[in-house]
Amino acid sequence: MVRILCILIRAFEFIFLVRMVLSFFPIKDQTLAASARQLSLVITDPVVAPIRRVVPPLPGAMAGFGIAELLVLIGLQLLDAIICRL
């Protein structure tokens, strides 16, 4: 059971990193990169959106990267460290 949870955490972390990286680049619609970005947003937004409602964005934040995204990334790293590295 722990192994499955670790796989899910790491898969979500990978998808979240894809979201963050793709947010820095201008991407044309109807391309593979646009589809990957949209899929990563659909998968990760349910986690990021509630945090974004509570934590205000940074003024002049770079692309789609702000405090909410940083908190999610730290949380994923903590979950991985606690659950998967026991």
Side-chain angles (χ1 to χ4, degrees):
M1 184 66 170
V2 172
R3 195 171 222 165
I4 293 170
L5 188 57
C6 288
I7 291 169
L8 290 174
I9 290 170
R10 289 179 180 157
F12 187 85
E13 190 173 8
F14 176 77
I15 294 167
F16 191 75
L17 289 172
V18 167
R19 169 195 172 127
M20 290 174 56
V21 169
L22 290 178
S23 72
F24 286 99
F25 298 101
I27 297 175
K28 293 183 182 180
D29 291 339
Q30 307 298 325
T31 62
L32 182 60
S35 297
R37 180 176 59 192
Q38 186 60 32
L39 181 62
S40 68
L41 287 171
V42 167
I43 292 171
T44 59
D45 259 354
V47 175
V48 177
I51 297 170
R52 195 176 285 142
R53 276 185 242 128
V54 176
V55 178
L58 288 172
M62 300 184 330
F65 188 76
I67 294 177
E69 286 79 7
L70 184 61
L71 290 174
V72 170
L73 190 58
I74 291 169
L76 287 169
Q77 292 290 313
L78 286 173
L79 274 175
D80 186 43
I82 292 169
I83 295 173
C84 301
R85 309 240 163 109
L86 292 176

